[in-house]
Amino acid sequence: MVAPLSFIKNMDLQIAMLLGQDGVVNGAIYALLALALVLVFAVTRVIFIPQGEFVAFGALTLAGIQAGRTPGTLWLLIGLSAAVAVLEAAVALKNGLLRRFVAAMVWNLGYPAALAVILLGAQPQSWPLAIQVALALALVVPLGPAIYRLAYQPLASASVLVLLIVSVAVHLTLVGLGLVFFGAEGSRTTAFSEASFDWGGITVSGQTLWVVGASAGLMVGLYLFFGRSLWGKALRATAINRVGARLMGISSTQAGKISFSLAAAIGGLSGILIAPITTIYYDTGFLIGLKGFVAAIIGGLASYPMAAAGAIMVGLLESFSSFWASAFKEVIVFTLIIPVLVWRSLVSRRGEEEE
């Protein structure tokens, strides 16, 4: 007979440290996705639900390269780039802009063609890991601005609700295409480091340090980008006041493309970082992206530091919940959003939504 309280587990210091390690690693990834979500929403007012798909695409693209297969991301990039080329060419010819027409053809058709030659004509599976990672990102990052051009730019002046509906449609489309291009089988990639360290009685893998270190480095890079670079300041200006930014000559369209490029880069790199320590499937990114969204909500979809802090909170809550109530860990994490929204509704003084 099972004791009534046998489900209660005792936690010692070592278990707490292990759970804390997992929470920090997961939180580092959620922080990157939360920052990307905040960036995209601040600049374009788009709640970018498909952010998680870039995580899956980045990991599965690198896995395909390392396995000697042509990643399906190449065909997706070719299709999206061809569609963008048609739209840009039509606009350029209508306005008589020959240089814009030539530039649209060269970039949107030449770039995917060059990647196709590399992937089909060379053997990237034998290349160093750093070059494989760069090649995977070269395939994934251009998907961001292409999706923005096709799905969001024509609706740039639409309401947040309409843009949210479009995001749901884009998410469902990308998940379906992920199944077609990558299949239902999961994949892992080669670890960046096989080293392991014994700290305080727990074993820390080199890949774990890579995840935390790369995440911290990318956050610092984003901080410097927004604080020091011209385009970073332009994105900040667009996020603060889109109309004022346009009056000062800052293109909201270009700002949108840059924000989606950064979101794709962050998502793709996040997937590449976690692929060696967890199996990635075509739909894995959705759940990861949702947890990043919870962290972004904690930051009010406006504060980068609060979003990063919320991500660490989400990671630790998920980790410790898996110990105490593993069957309900997802419920516990997503329930966190309720008190946050209630609190924000009580402290908010705005009566109407500002567009």
Side-chain angles (χ1 to χ4, degrees):
M1 181 176 179
V2 179
L5 299 180
S6 61
F7 65 91
I8 298 179
K9 301 177 182 179
N10 295 320
M11 178 185 298
D12 56 22
L13 179 60
Q14 185 174 13
I15 294 176
M17 292 176 63
L18 288 171
L19 294 175
Q21 174 188 325
D22 291 341
V24 170
V25 172
N26 292 337
I29 297 299
Y30 299 154
L32 291 179
L33 300 184
L35 295 179
L37 288 167
V38 172
L39 168 64
V40 170
F41 181 78
V43 175
T44 65
R45 300 179 301 117
V46 173
I47 300 176
F48 195 47
I49 295 177
Q51 178 64 44
E53 272 61 68
F54 290 118
V55 176
F57 284 5
L60 295 175
T61 298
L62 180 59
I65 292 174
Q66 292 181 347
R69 303 188 303 267
T70 302
T73 321
L74 173 64
W75 313 121
L76 178 59
L77 177 61
I78 290 174
L80 292 179
S81 297
V84 171
V86 171
L87 290 178
E88 292 292 341
V91 173
L93 292 176
K94 180 179 178 181
N95 297 317
L97 302 174
L98 181 59
R99 291 182 61 183
R100 180 175 175 178
F101 171 79
V102 173
M105 293 297 102
V106 170
W107 170 253
N108 292 295
L109 299 181
Y111 180 79
L115 290 178
V117 170
I118 293 174
L119 289 169
L120 299 176
Q123 293 182 336
Q125 67 270 22
S126 60
W127 293 354
L129 179 59
I131 300 179
Q132 292 176 345
V133 170
L135 182 58
L137 290 176
L139 286 166
V140 174
V141 173
L143 298 178
I147 291 173
Y148 173 77
R149 177 64 183 89
L150 296 173
Y152 296 102
Q153 185 176 325
L155 301 171
S157 59
S159 66
V160 174
L161 178 59
V162 171
L163 295 174
L164 176 60
I165 294 172
V166 173
S167 287
V168 174
V170 173
H171 157 68
L172 295 175
T173 301
L174 290 179
V175 170
L177 291 174
L179 177 60
V180 172
F181 289 134
F182 299 110
E185 296 80 12
S187 298
R188 288 198 180 197
T189 59
T190 303
F192 290 14
S193 173
E194 298 292 344
S196 61
F197 307 92
D198 189 5
W199 287 350
I202 63 173
T203 301
V204 179
S205 67
Q207 187 63 35
T208 296
L209 297 179
W210 265 102
V211 172
V212 176
S215 299
L218 187 55
M219 291 178 195
V220 173
L222 289 173
Y223 173 78
L224 295 176
F225 172 75
F226 288 117
R228 304 290 180 84
S229 70
L230 182 62
W231 271 114
K233 294 178 181 178
L235 289 180
R236 288 174 57 194
T238 305
I240 295 172
N241 190 323
R242 284 182 293 275
V243 176
R246 285 197 295 267
L247 292 176
M248 299 308 297
I250 299 174
S251 170
S252 57
T253 298
Q254 192 66 21
K257 290 180 179 178
I258 293 175
S259 65
F260 270 73
S261 298
L262 288 174
I266 292 171
L269 181 60
S270 299
I272 289 172
L273 288 173
I274 64 174
I277 57 180
T278 184
T279 303
I280 302 295
Y281 298 86
Y282 72 96
D283 59 349
T284 298
F286 177 61
L287 197 58
I288 299 175
L290 278 182
K291 292 171 183 175
F293 177 72
V294 173
I297 290 296
I298 294 175
L301 286 172
S303 172
Y304 295 102
M306 284 296 293
I312 298 299
M313 182 192 303
V314 169
L316 292 173
L317 180 62
E318 178 188 24
S319 180
F320 282 90
S321 297
S322 66
F323 178 82
W324 294 109
S326 59
F328 301 99
K329 67 174 184 176
E330 311 296 353
V331 177
I332 294 173
V333 169
F334 294 126
T335 303
L336 179 65
I337 202 173
I338 298 177
V340 173
L341 292 177
V342 171
W343 177 76
R344 290 196 173 278
S345 68
L346 293 176
V347 300
S348 177
R349 296 183 178 180
R350 292 185 300 175
E352 298 180 357
E353 179 184 2
E354 296 179 2
E355 292 295 339

